Amino acid sequence: MALRKIRIMGDPVLTKKCKPVKEMTPRIQELIEDMFETMYMEMGVGLAAPQVGILKRIVVIDTDGTPRVFINPEIVEKADEQTGNEGCLSLPGKTGIVTRPNYVKVKALDENMEEFTLEATELLARAVCHECDHLDGVMFTNHVEGELMDVESLEEEE
């Protein structure tokens, strides 16, 4: 396993649509392991392959101590709303207010290329939406209501 360089907003790879994964290969398995290691090192809750420069439809998420892999994820249902602060490893030090669904149903393949469906709420639903956006070249900044804020200024308010 190895840490991968996280691409920062402005890198053209972050604006491109990713290609579906057709089969599990040793390189893709290694990518998934590296993505988890990189996400944990940066203290994130989710990471999409384009954030490490790979245009594949792969997302890793861990909001609650349960590492999850989503290959070729597709959000098939959304309901309700939640509004809150959101940040991104590709835009370090910044946060913004974003409204997302409070419930999503996502269909994807796991690391064994077996299909599964997951129903997610709250932070996990937010993370699924955020990371799936990355696979279509969309940054959270496209959804920010108002101005981006510095993370430090939020910490000072608390």
Side-chain angles (χ1 to χ4, degrees):
M1 295 199 328
L3 292 177
R4 302 268 180 139
K5 179 179 182 258
I6 294 181
R7 303 301 178 95
I8 302 301
M9 189 170 164
D11 188 317
V13 75
L14 294 173
T15 63
K16 293 185 168 40
K17 201 167 171 81
C18 295
K19 293 181 174 23
V21 175
K22 292 180 177 29
E23 64 178 345
M24 182 55 63
T25 65
R27 287 183 69 183
I28 289 179
Q29 187 60 50
E30 180 182 359
L31 170 64
I32 290 168
E33 292 170 11
D34 291 353
M35 286 172 64
F36 273 117
E37 186 174 348
T38 303
M39 177 186 75
Y40 290 134
M41 178 62 73
E42 296 296 328
M43 306 207 329
V45 297
L47 190 66
Q51 291 181 274
V52 293
I54 307 296
L55 290 172
K56 296 281 188 190
R57 297 188 77 78
I58 302 171
V59 165
V60 298
I61 295 175
D62 185 347
T63 58
D64 59 2
T66 305
R68 295 179 171 92
V69 176
F70 300 82
I71 299 172
N72 303 334
E74 180 187 347
I75 296 172
V76 295
E77 195 177 320
K78 299 176 184 180
D80 303 322
E81 281 188 349
Q82 59 172 307
T83 300
N85 274 314
E86 196 165 307
C88 181
L89 294 177
S90 290
L91 192 57
K94 297 289 185 182
T95 185
I97 301 293
V98 177
T99 298
R100 300 269 190 192
N102 197 48
Y103 165 87
V104 296
K105 183 188 280 190
V106 61
K107 200 168 65 172
L109 301 173
D110 65 16
E111 59 274 15
N112 300 313
M113 298 301 281
E114 293 176 6
E115 189 173 300
F116 71 94
T117 301
L118 176 76
E119 294 183 81
T121 59
E122 299 173 1
L123 179 58
L124 182 54
R126 178 179 293 278
V128 167
C129 292
H130 178 111
E131 300 308 333
C132 285
D133 271 357
H134 275 300
L135 302 180
D136 293 322
V138 176
M139 293 279 294
F140 87 103
T141 53
N142 293 50
H143 303 294
V144 169
E145 301 162 17
E147 299 292 316
L148 283 173
M149 298 167 280
D150 292 327
V151 171
E152 294 79 34
S153 63
L154 280 179
E155 290 168 353
E156 291 167 7
E157 290 174 13
E158 291 176 359

